[in-house]
Structure formats: structure tokens, C-alpha cells
Amino acid sequence: MADGASSSGAASASGPGGGGGGESVVIDYGRRRTTCGYCRSTGQTSISHGLWANSLRADDYQALLDRGWRRSGCFLYKPEMERTCCPQYTIRLKANDFICSKEQGRVLKKMQRFLDGELDPLVGSPQNKTSPTKHSLTEPMNLPVSKISKTLTNDFQAAKCPNLFEEDEFISCLSSKINVAVGMCFQVGTLGSDVQLPKAVVKTVKPQLKKKVGGASQDQKVGEPVQDLLYTCNISFQIVAAIRRALPKEKDANHSVVADISPNSIAEKLAMTMECHGDIAGLAVKACNGHLNFYSVTNKTKQNKTSIIVSTHAPDKSSSSKQSSVNKNTVRVPQKRRKLEIKMRRSHFDPEEFALYQRYQTKVHKEKIVSESSYKRFLVDTPIVFVPPRSGDNTVPPCGFGSFHQQYRIDGKLVAVGVVDILPKCLSSKYLFWDPDFAFLSLGKYTALKEIDWVKITQEHCPNLQFYYLGYYIHSCNKMRYKAAYRPSELLCPVRFEWVCYDIAKRLLDKSLYSVLSDCAQIQDEMPQPQNSHLDTELSKNDNCESPIDEDDEDLSYDDSDMMVDEEMVRSESNIDVMEDCSSIIDIEDVMMDLNGSRVKYKDLQGVVGRIERRHLEQLERQLSKYVKVVGKELSDRMVYSL
């Protein structure tokens, strides 16, 4: 998907600074218009600056990112913010300040449950529509209660202990089990047509209420395992009330069936039904004063014996005792734990990664043709010069600086690849592709959280590397706003290149999609002081931004944000505007240029090549002025601009 990147150009930079040896070399600045991949405009409304990079020092690319640039392969591009249809703001997060939300916490717990063998790998995946596991959980056909969620029942069966679930999810499963038992006890028609059976509501028992409801099982004998009351349900009282309201209207009702309608008798009947026909994940169910109480069993041996596989069918009386006997002897086999490995590898072509990328693009993004050449150009080629780690040097991380592919393997199977750049101040997330069969794990969100963790850990060895860059934030595109969920984040001002707290920037962007974010003095008094990081004013010390992952289902995340630029399309594009006058006078005297392999500053150019025609000189000056304006004075003085 094209991002409106700009025309061809290249530059190279030499000179002092961190990031290792070599030099940064770029070729010819240009500007280009294209259709927008975010708002799907019909015209060429996306406008960007562009450069082709032969080589880039890590610190030079860091500085470019902090001026709103980013890369697609070896192509560098920067949206022309005041003119493009969808302004794109660099967004970053200080890893040590990251606050994990409840939703993000659920993603981590879901992965842990999967690795522990507690989550069916098919739940949530597209393939599970015909899964035998799900179809074996057939619903009772004769129950007057609401249908049970198959997925929740699946998860409920896989549980060994309630604390493996979010509390509300577990309680929902328990309520569904009670509804099944109610349906078994009161078949359709036995109570009359007007009797509407209520739905069960399970509540957590607070410590101060345990004595009132029954702190421990009343018929517990001396020497038996200790049982702790966890949940209770008063469904029996509600059933009695519903029956009594309907009885006067149902003169012909079968009173022999409903003769005993006290809460105690109904609670006992439900408890017996659940014990015989329902798996309640190691909990013991008891009837107590009309309530259904659920206790945890602390004896593991007894718990395993009562953890049985459930059938939600209601068996007839002749087979119930046999069915109960079979179920009691059926012990759940513990699931095998899975192993997750995360490895950081230098960017290179890997056939296994390319095969995964093909599956991802065709199944998730519906692309018909995915070529090896486009994959290499987009995600393998990189201009960033690799800097190896140095013993005793705390300025370079253990993996070094450069472009990397972070592989995620589960039991040896490659399930996701995060394409990232490791730079002097940050991990810049560029793209993520993953196995569609594992979409239920929300790998876009999960890998983002792991990348944040990587920055936290690496900062212990490399104190300057403390930021996580998520690429571009686009306020006008709803699919791209998910990045602001990684809090507290900052957006880059497109004019002064200062970092502004997202909460403040959002108020400006709500009024105008293009805003000078650092013009926030008028609203700072109304909000808490933003947690801006102190940045050195020198461009070479700014941070970098790239787009992260995508997400998958919930993870429409990062991978959608990093736009692939077709190199051939860009190079063949002739609509390059380099003639526009600059609004202000820009010093280009010290711009370093490549001239037949020699490094020459612009001010010395005519002394080296001789007199240049005025019209050609003016054209070169305009082009260099634009180049200096978009990359910054300091970078243009040390990067090599190849004509």
C-alpha cells in the first residue's frame, strides 16, 4: 500500500558522532504526490519529501527520525505536513514510564495461558469454525434458557482453577453451567407456557458474608480436605418466585412436577444435577439454605478426581447413574506446556520468513501476488550501517546498532517476525507479520509489549537507549489511533521538532488535523504538565520513529501503518517539484556533496569544477535549500549529498 512517499534522492553523511564507522550517503532530494493509502482519496493528495539512501549511520538515521523521517527499505520519506491530506506525526514512548492497560494485560495473560496449555489453540482462529472440539460441546435442544457460549464453555472445560481466568469470564462460565442444570431439571412444558425461568447470576462471596451464607461445607466431615467458599447463587429463590407467579394462570399445569417448590429442594436438585452432569473445574457445589454454594478444594488429589469432562446433554434416568460413574473415573490429562523463543537476528533474506510473509499478506491483507523482490526491497534491504557491540562499551547494546528481524517461535514454529531498527536512543518498530493461524493471540499487541520490555531490559546495559517508537500517528485515521493506547506517549511537533504529551496534542488535533503541536501554551494551564523527555537541541541526538506491527484482529496495529514504497515507481516518477522557492534564506555553504568520488562543500564547488552557468547554479541552490530545510543544517553539513 503506497504511503505517498516522495521522489528519488540519496544522501551520504560522514563526520563525527555515535553510530559507528562509515558514512551516510544519500542521493538527490525530491518531492512527489500520490493517492493516499489512509483516506483512499481519488486524487494525488498525499505529498512527501524523499531521499534514496546508499548508507546511513545509526545516529544519522536517529536524527532523521526525530525530524519526522522514516524508511521503507532504502528509501527515506517524510510527509509534507502542511500540505498532505493525512498529516502523520512521529509517536514515541519512554519505556520505563509505560503503563500497561487492562486490555494489554489481558493479551499477556492470554499468551501465558496458551503457553501453559490452558487455552485451546483453535479458539478464536478462523479454522475453528469446523473444529471437532467446538462441535462436541453441543447445546441442549430442549432448554428454555439462553444459549451457552461455546467458546466460554471450551475455556471453562480447559480450566484447572478459577484464578486462571479473568474473574468476570469465569463467573460467566459458571452461570452458564447453572443455566444448563436448570434446563435439565425443568424440561420444556413441565411448568406451563407462562413460566419464564430466570437466568443465573453468580456472585463472589466476600469474607464478611461467608459465615452468613455458609463459610465451609456444612456436611464436611472431620479429616476431609478444607473447602473455602468462593461463589454463591440464589437462582433457587428466583425460580420459586417465577413458578408461583405463573401457577394461578396455569390451572392445567402438572402439579405433581412442581409440588415441592421450596428454594431448599430446588437448590439440592440443582446441586445434584451439576455434580452428576457438569464439570465445575474442581469446585465443590453444595446446597445451603436455598443457595447454591461453590467451594474450592485444597486437596489436589481430590480436585483432580472431580475434574471431569462434561456432556451438556441431559441423559434420561436409566442412563444417568452409568453416565455419572463414567464421568467420575475420567481424569483430565494435563496439557503440555509450550515454549516461546524470541531471537533478534540481523536483517537478511530468510526463506522461512518470506513464506510466513506471503501467508500473512495473502490471508490478512488479501494481496494476490507477493513477490520476493518486493519483500526484499521493503523489509530486508536497509541502508543503516551495522555497528557491532563492543566489550565494556555501555553506549552500544549487546545486539549492536542496525536493522533486525525479531523472530517469535512457539515450539520451534515461526509464528511472527517484527522488523525493527535498533538506534542510539530507541527501538524503532517498522513492521510485523504473523501466522494467520495464531490471530487469536493478538500478536500485534503482544509483540509491541515485548518490544517495550526489550527496551527496558536493554537500558540496563545501554542507558541512552530508552525510547520505543511506534511509527506515525494519524489522527484522521481511526485504524491508526490505537498507537495512543501505549501510554504515556508523545508526538513530534512538525515545525520545532519538540516532543509534546499526547493528551495535550490531541486537543489541538481535534480542532485541526495539521497543528504546530508546540503551540500548546494556551492549553497547558488547563491540563497536567506533560511528561516530555528532555532532548538535546542538536539534531544528531534526536530520536527515531518507525511504524510497528499490525495487529491482527484487535491488532490492526503496526503493520498496517508502515507503507511499502515501490522503488521502481518512485524512480520513474517524473512529477517532482524541486523548483519551488524556499520561504526563507537557508545557508547551504557547508553542504557536503559527492563529486566523482570526492567530498566537496558547496562553497568550494566552483573552485573545483570551474565556473558554472547561473541558471544551473540557481537550480542547484534551490534543490540544496530544500534538502537542508527538511534534513536540518547539522545533518546536511556532515551527510554526503550525491548528485
Side-chain angles (χ1 to χ4, degrees):
M1 182 162 50
D3 163 45
S6 49
S7 60
S8 62
S12 142
S14 61
E23 61 180 8
S24 300
V25 180
V26 279
I27 304 168
D28 197 26
Y29 160 81
R31 177 189 287 141
R32 181 175 179 276
R33 295 173 177 265
T34 64
T35 55
C36 181
Y38 296 107
C39 64
R40 308 293 182 183
S41 62
T42 56
Q44 294 184 334
T45 58
S46 181
I47 307 172
S48 298
H49 306 280
L51 295 168
W52 282 104
N54 287 344
S55 65
L56 273 179
R57 292 163 56 98
D59 57 337
D60 289 338
Y61 185 47
Q62 177 82 67
L64 286 170
L65 289 172
D66 284 327
R67 293 183 65 87
W69 291 81
R70 66 179 308 177
R71 72 178 185 90
S72 175
C74 293
F75 184 76
L76 307 177
Y77 61 99
K78 173 186 177 179
E80 193 166 342
M81 299 287 281
E82 66 274 19
R83 299 178 63 188
T84 192
C85 56
C86 295
Q88 303 165 43
Y89 298 84
T90 299
I91 182 171
R92 77 173 187 181
L93 166 75
K94 192 171 184 178
N96 281 344
D97 293 341
F98 172 64
I99 301 172
C100 187
S101 68
K102 290 184 179 179
E103 181 184 2
Q104 292 158 352
R106 283 193 289 268
V107 171
L108 295 174
K109 290 179 181 178
K110 181 166 55 176
M111 174 63 81
Q112 191 57 54
R113 283 168 49 206
F114 176 69
L115 296 177
D116 289 342
E118 299 296 337
L119 178 63
D120 187 340
L122 292 178
V123 173
S125 66
Q127 289 77 6
N128 71 348
K129 292 181 180 179
T130 57
S131 167
T133 305
K134 293 195 73 176
H135 281 282
S136 65
L137 297 171
T138 34
E139 302 172 45
M141 300 301 294
N142 59 344
L143 301 185
V145 294
S146 59
K147 292 185 178 181
I148 304 169
S149 166
K150 292 184 178 181
T151 301
L152 286 179
T153 306
N154 238 359
D155 285 348
F156 191 96
Q157 277 193 307
K160 292 181 181 179
C161 179
N163 61 15
L164 292 175
F165 285 90
E166 294 295 324
E167 190 76 3
D168 54 349
E169 183 179 357
F170 183 83
I171 289 176
S172 176
C173 292
L174 199 55
S175 300
S176 297
K177 289 294 180 182
I178 297 174
N179 289 335
V180 171
V182 170
M184 291 179 179
C185 294
F186 301 98
Q187 300 289 325
V188 173
T190 58
L191 299 178
S193 59
D194 286 351
V195 179
Q196 297 296 323
L197 292 177
K199 297 178 182 179
V201 177
V202 176
K203 296 182 179 180
T204 303
V205 180
K206 298 180 180 180
Q208 60 269 29
L209 297 179
K210 287 186 179 182
K211 291 184 178 180
K212 293 183 180 180
V213 187
S217 177
Q218 292 181 344
D219 52 356
Q220 179 180 328
K221 298 179 180 179
V222 177
E224 285 189 348
V226 177
Q227 297 180 338
D228 182 32
L229 177 61
L230 298 179
Y231 306 102
T232 187
C233 179
N234 64 354
I235 185 69
S236 301
F237 294 91
Q238 299 175 46
I239 292 175
V240 169
I243 294 175
R244 287 175 175 170
R245 284 195 301 268
L247 271 178
K249 301 178 182 178
E250 293 289 339
K251 301 296 183 181
D252 300 327
N254 187 348
H255 292 283
S256 63
V257 177
V258 295
D260 187 0
I261 57 172
S262 70
N264 284 338
S265 61
I266 292 178
E268 290 173 359
K269 184 180 296 186
L270 291 176
M272 184 180 301
T273 301
M274 294 190 72
E275 283 185 339
C276 293
H277 306 298
D279 176 8
I280 49 177
L283 295 179
V285 57
K286 303 289 183 181
C288 179
N289 299 327
H291 291 81
L292 278 178
N293 291 343
F294 298 89
Y295 302 82
S296 67
V297 182
T298 58
N299 185 296
K300 293 183 178 179
T301 303
K302 183 173 181 178
Q303 180 174 340
N304 285 338
K305 289 182 179 179
T306 58
S307 180
I308 54 178
I309 298 175
V310 206
S311 170
T312 55
H313 286 293
D316 56 30
K317 294 182 179 179
S318 61
S319 62
S320 62
S321 59
K322 181 178 179 180
Q323 180 73 26
S324 176
S325 176
V326 172
N327 284 345
K328 287 181 180 178
N329 293 326
T330 305
V331 180
R332 183 185 308 283
V333 179
Q335 294 293 320
K336 180 182 177 182
R337 285 182 56 86
R338 301 176 177 90
K339 182 180 180 181
L340 171 66
E341 295 178 288
I342 305 176
K343 293 184 179 180
M344 188 83 78
R345 298 182 178 274
R346 287 182 58 186
S347 181
H348 71 285
F349 179 77
D350 183 332
E352 184 182 15
E353 289 184 1
F354 175 61
L356 178 62
Y357 176 76
Q358 280 184 310
R359 291 194 64 227
Y360 172 77
Q361 293 296 124
T362 54
K363 291 194 174 184
V364 176
H365 292 296
K366 311 303 180 184
E367 290 191 13
K368 295 182 179 180
I369 300 176
V370 180
S371 68
E372 185 176 306
S373 60
S374 65
Y375 167 71
K376 289 180 178 179
R377 194 162 57 239
F378 180 33
L379 296 178
V380 177
D381 294 346
T382 177
I384 302 175
V385 179
F386 175 67
V387 179
R390 295 187 284 260
S391 178
D393 187 347
N394 65 351
T395 64
V396 181
C399 64
F401 292 136
S403 299
F404 297 86
H405 286 195
Q406 198 165 33
Q407 296 183 342
Y408 295 78
R409 294 182 180 273
I410 296 179
D411 288 343
K413 177 180 175 60
L414 184 67
V415 299
V417 176
V419 182
V420 301
D421 292 323
I422 307 300
L423 302 172
K425 287 188 175 181
C426 72
L427 180 150
S428 171
S429 190
K430 174 175 168 51
Y431 200 79
L432 175 88
F433 52 95
W434 37 267
D435 191 333
D437 290 342
F438 290 81
F440 68 99
L441 289 176
S442 303
L443 290 172
K445 290 185 176 72
Y446 181 78
T447 54
L449 296 171
K450 299 306 290 184
E451 288 171 356
I452 294 172
D453 284 343
W454 184 93
V455 175
K456 290 180 180 180
I457 295 171
T458 304
Q459 190 176 354
E460 298 176 3
H461 306 282
C462 187
N464 289 333
L465 204 161
Q466 52 186 302
F467 293 100
Y468 177 60
Y469 282 71
L470 296 86
Y472 286 140
Y473 171 82
I474 306 174
H475 199 64
S476 59
C477 180
N478 288 331
K479 289 207 312 181
M480 300 302 293
R481 291 193 181 189
Y482 74 91
K483 296 183 181 182
Y486 297 86
R487 301 177 64 88
S489 54
E490 301 171 309
L491 299 184
L492 183 67
C493 175
V495 174
R496 299 185 182 94
F497 306 112
E498 298 173 356
W499 294 98
V500 178
C501 173
Y502 170 79
D503 292 330
I504 291 179
K506 181 180 182 300
R507 300 186 65 176
L508 294 173
L509 296 177
D510 285 341
K511 298 176 182 178
S512 174
L513 294 180
Y514 171 72
S515 296
V516 180
L517 300 182
S518 53
D519 288 345
C520 54
Q522 66 274 20
I523 62 174
Q524 281 183 337
D525 293 337
E526 305 173 19
M527 299 189 62
Q529 187 68 20
Q531 299 178 357
N532 288 358
S533 302
H534 175 69
L535 295 179
D536 195 304
T537 55
E538 297 181 4
L539 297 178
S540 62
K541 296 184 179 179
N542 286 344
D543 302 345
N544 132 52
C545 164
E546 278 295 349
S547 144
I549 19 193
D550 125 56
E551 218 158 20
D552 25 81
D553 44 307
E554 323 157 328
D555 300 79
L556 279 174
S557 19
Y558 323 63
D559 26 32
D560 287 346
S561 65
D562 197 319
M563 299 309 179
M564 178 164 54
V565 179
D566 191 312
E567 176 178 345
E568 298 305 321
M569 175 185 68
V570 171
R571 283 182 171 167
S572 63
E573 176 60 56
S574 60
N575 184 23
I576 302 173
D577 178 10
V578 294
M579 302 301 293
E580 179 182 312
D581 291 332
C582 291
S583 58
S584 59
I585 299 175
I586 296 177
D587 181 12
I588 63 172
E589 293 294 303
D590 291 323
V591 173
M592 184 70 69
M593 295 187 298
D594 176 88
L595 188 63
N596 298 326
S598 300
R599 303 298 187 248
V600 179
K601 291 186 177 181
Y602 173 75
K603 62 184 178 182
D604 302 325
L605 181 61
Q606 294 193 75
V608 175
V609 302
R611 185 174 179 79
I612 301 175
E613 255 186 78
R614 186 59 198 168
R615 60 189 180 91
H616 295 311
L617 199 61
E618 288 177 351
Q619 183 176 359
L620 178 59
E621 288 175 352
R622 283 194 294 267
Q623 187 167 339
L624 291 180
S625 294
K626 290 180 176 297
Y627 164 69
V628 173
K629 184 178 180 180
V630 294
V631 303
K633 181 68 168 61
E634 182 178 343
L635 275 177
S636 65
D637 287 351
R638 77 167 184 258
M639 291 203 321
V640 179
Y641 185 84
S642 180
L643 295 175

